[in-house]
Amino acid sequence: MTRHTHDVILVGGGIVGVSTAYYLSTRTDLDVALFEADRVGGRSTGRSAGGIRQQFSNELEVRLAMESVERFERFARETDRVTFSRNGYVLLARTDDEATRLRADATLQRRLGLDVRELAPETLAEYVSYLRTDDIVSANYCPTDGVVDPHSVTTWLAGRAREAGVTVRERTPVTGVRTSNTGTTTVTAGNDEFVAGTVVVAGGVWSEQLLSTAGVSLPVDPTRIQIIVTERHPEIDGDDPFVVDLERRMFFRPEAGSSLLVSGQLPTGDEPVDVRNYETAHDYAFSVAVSEFLLDRTVGLGDLEVANGWAGLKGVTPDGLPLVGPVSDDEGLLVATGFNGHGFMLAPAIGRALSDYVTTGTWSDLDLEPFSPGRFDR
């Protein structure tokens, strides 16, 4: 078995791992290697909806999302391979309780400098002409939210990291992690061992399975999330905002100009699945749920036919917050997973914060200690 050494090893070539590699490579001289079992951006990242939302209830997530928006915009200015469409997000409240929560969230978000506007139901047609509004109590709108193509930005960042010296090993699954009392961590890939002072496991829902080889257990449930794209309709405009029905836990946004991309969670959708064998195609039950949702939530579109669809995975934690940081007292083994479906929209800021932690041993201006993987053991 051949042994190789690096300063930092990243496991996972989705947007979180790639973003961390990018910031490490452009801000340090460390020897960094990234391992991906598939192709860069080929798993959960490439199957996400691409939404970038800053309207969170948690202050740290708001701050992460706001920084990520700035960084996505910077990427889009640097290359035409990345497009950031500032369509905005509209969050719909159908009950008084939901409306009260949205107002409280908006108070927090405005305090942090986010432009959030409360919309009266009668004004919603100005934003989405085909939206049914007679059952809406209120809505929040953030014009700086938007959409980025997940695969394009992830592969571009990986390319930049490669240019800066990162070794990117695609089609190279890591099958084991082993810590030591010498301050190093070893990962196994194929017949080779790779040793580093710091290993960051950012393998999405596959992280727990890998870390179990090091005796680490993570409270993350892998759940299946489905997406459907409808046929085209002339009433749908590519500049329409992302619309989220909070009570239904469903959302839609324009796709390819005049189609709708629709996703959400079925009542049974949070049941854990086997990450080694899950269905990557959408199913009939979800198609029916989407049709019923659109017939109820929109007007004038008729019964839109399904053009295509797919399914991906997200990691769900007990408190709805991600797991980021050292997995134990061993500062050399870190994890970044369990983003509850929000990993893509937070990834640039998470990657920047992780790169700071790896190089200094402490959190900088973005203190991610509230996301500590060990918080459930306290």
Side-chain angles (χ1 to χ4, degrees), residues 314-361:
K314 66 177 182 178
V316 177
T317 62
D319 60 3
L321 297 176
L323 306 177
V324 184
V327 298
S328 65
D329 293 335
D330 180 1
E331 297 288 327
L333 179 58
L334 290 81
V335 68
T337 190
F339 288 94
N340 301 276
H342 305 139
F344 177 72
M345 60 185 72
L346 303 179
I350 291 288
R352 197 271 295 177
L354 274 172
S355 72
D356 287 347
Y357 188 92
V358 168
T359 54
T360 68

Side-chain angles (χ1 to χ4, degrees), residues 81-147:
R81 288 180 55 189
V82 178
T83 301
F84 182 20
S85 302
R86 272 197 169 190
N87 294 48
Y89 258 70
V90 173
L91 308 185
L92 304 177
R94 300 173 63 188
T95 67
D96 291 335
D97 286 345
E98 284 179 347
T100 299
R101 182 169 65 81
L102 281 185
R103 292 187 187 101
D105 290 349
T107 298
L108 165 67
Q109 293 152 9
R110 292 189 190 107
R111 176 170 63 80
L112 296 172
L114 188 63
D115 180 5
V116 182
R117 309 166 191 179
E118 183 175 347
L119 304 180
E122 59 269 20
T123 67
L124 286 170
E126 300 172 17
Y127 296 83
V128 188
S129 63
Y130 45 87
L131 185 66
R132 178 189 163 210
T133 62
D134 62 302
D135 63 340
I136 302 301
V137 176
S138 70
N140 281 8
Y141 171 65
C142 177
T144 57
D145 291 340
V147 176

Side-chain angles (χ1 to χ4, degrees), residues 292-314:
E292 292 175 349
F293 169 62
L294 291 178
L295 284 171
D296 179 65
R297 188 74 278 143
T298 65
V299 292
L301 298 184
D303 190 2
L304 287 173
E305 295 292 328
V306 173
N308 65 334
W310 59 90
L313 295 176
K314 66 177 182 178

Side-chain angles (χ1 to χ4, degrees), residues 45-52 87 89 130 146-150 225-233 236-238 240-245 249-264 286 290-291 293-294 297-298 301 304-311 344:
T45 292
R47 292 177 171 273
S48 69
I52 311 297
N87 294 48
Y89 258 70
Y130 45 87
V147 176
V148 176
D149 178 69
I225 183 83
Q226 300 183 66
I227 290 177
I228 275 177
V229 177
T230 71
E231 64 182 355
R232 296 178 180 275
H233 193 285
I236 300 168
D237 190 285
D240 292 338
F242 209 118
V243 176
V244 182
D245 187 321
R249 302 175 69 197
M250 299 283 285
F251 63 77
F252 60 78
R253 67 163 175 83
E255 169 73 2
S258 58
S259 297
L260 285 182
L261 182 150
V262 191
S263 187
F286 187 70
V290 165
S291 295
F293 169 62
L294 291 178
R297 188 74 278 143
T298 65
L301 298 184
L304 287 173
E305 295 292 328
V306 173
N308 65 334
W310 59 90
F344 177 72

Side-chain angles (χ1 to χ4, degrees), residues 5-324:
T5 60
H6 299 279
D7 294 323
V8 183
I9 290 174
L10 302 165
V11 182
I15 184 70
V16 174
V18 167
S19 176
T20 306
Y22 168 79
Y23 286 111
L24 282 170
S25 67
T26 56
R27 303 167 75 210
T28 75
D29 294 324
L30 295 173
D31 177 3
V32 180
L34 181 144
F35 292 77
E36 166 54 40
D38 199 304
R39 300 298 299 271
V40 164
R43 288 190 169 181
S44 295
T45 292
R47 292 177 171 273
S48 69
I52 311 297
R53 170 171 59 85
Q54 302 161 95
Q55 299 178 73
F56 285 90
S57 302
N58 176 275
E59 178 172 339
L60 184 51
E61 286 185 300
V62 176
R63 293 177 59 207
L64 286 164
M66 291 177 68
E67 177 178 323
S68 291
V69 163
E70 294 175 1
R71 294 184 180 277
F72 277 123
E73 289 179 327
R74 190 178 307 169
F75 301 155
R77 289 194 297 269
E78 290 184 28
T79 177
D80 57 8
R81 288 180 55 189
V82 178
T83 301
F84 182 20
S85 302
R86 272 197 169 190
N87 294 48
Y89 258 70
V90 173
L91 308 185
L92 304 177
R94 300 173 63 188
T95 67
D96 291 335
D97 286 345
E98 284 179 347
T100 299
R101 182 169 65 81
L102 281 185
R103 292 187 187 101
D105 290 349
T107 298
L108 165 67
Q109 293 152 9
R110 292 189 190 107
R111 176 170 63 80
L112 296 172
L114 188 63
D115 180 5
V116 182
R117 309 166 191 179
E118 183 175 347
L119 304 180
E122 59 269 20
T123 67
L124 286 170
E126 300 172 17
Y127 296 83
V128 188
S129 63
Y130 45 87
L131 185 66
R132 178 189 163 210
T133 62
D134 62 302
D135 63 340
I136 302 301
V137 176
S138 70
N140 281 8
Y141 171 65
C142 177
T144 57
D145 291 340
V147 176
V148 176
D149 178 69
H151 186 263
S152 296
V153 69
T154 305
T155 54
W156 179 76
L157 285 172
R160 288 292 307 277
R162 279 193 184 97
E163 292 169 4
V166 173
T167 301
V168 178
R169 297 176 180 270
E170 297 180 282
R171 306 286 191 190
T172 309
V174 172
T175 55
V177 177
R178 186 176 72 254
T179 59
S180 71
N181 56 12
T182 63
T184 61
T185 300
T186 301
V187 304
T188 304
N191 294 321
D192 293 340
E193 289 189 337
F194 300 82
V195 183
T198 302
V199 171
V200 181
V201 177
V205 296
W206 292 270
S207 298
E208 181 180 21
Q209 179 181 317
L210 175 59
L211 284 170
S212 68
T213 64
V216 175
S217 178
L218 297 177
V220 179
D221 285 333
T223 63
R224 189 163 165 264
I225 183 83
Q226 300 183 66
I227 290 177
I228 275 177
V229 177
T230 71
E231 64 182 355
R232 296 178 180 275
H233 193 285
E235 190 67 22
I236 300 168
D237 190 285
D239 292 328
D240 292 338
F242 209 118
V243 176
V244 182
D245 187 321
L246 296 172
E247 185 177 47
R248 286 282 191 90
R249 302 175 69 197
M250 299 283 285
F251 63 77
F252 60 78
R253 67 163 175 83
E255 169 73 2
S258 58
S259 297
L260 285 182
L261 182 150
V262 191
S263 187
Q265 211 73 51
L266 291 173
T268 59
D270 283 338
E271 295 179 358
V273 299
D274 185 349
V275 299
R276 295 164 298 185
N277 182 30
Y278 78 98
E279 180 55 64
T280 59
H282 71 284
D283 54 45
Y284 176 74
F286 187 70
S287 297
V288 171
V290 165
S291 295
E292 292 175 349
F293 169 62
L294 291 178
L295 284 171
D296 179 65
R297 188 74 278 143
T298 65
V299 292
L301 298 184
D303 190 2
L304 287 173
E305 295 292 328
V306 173
N308 65 334
W310 59 90
L313 295 176
K314 66 177 182 178
V316 177
T317 62
D319 60 3
L321 297 176
L323 306 177
V324 184

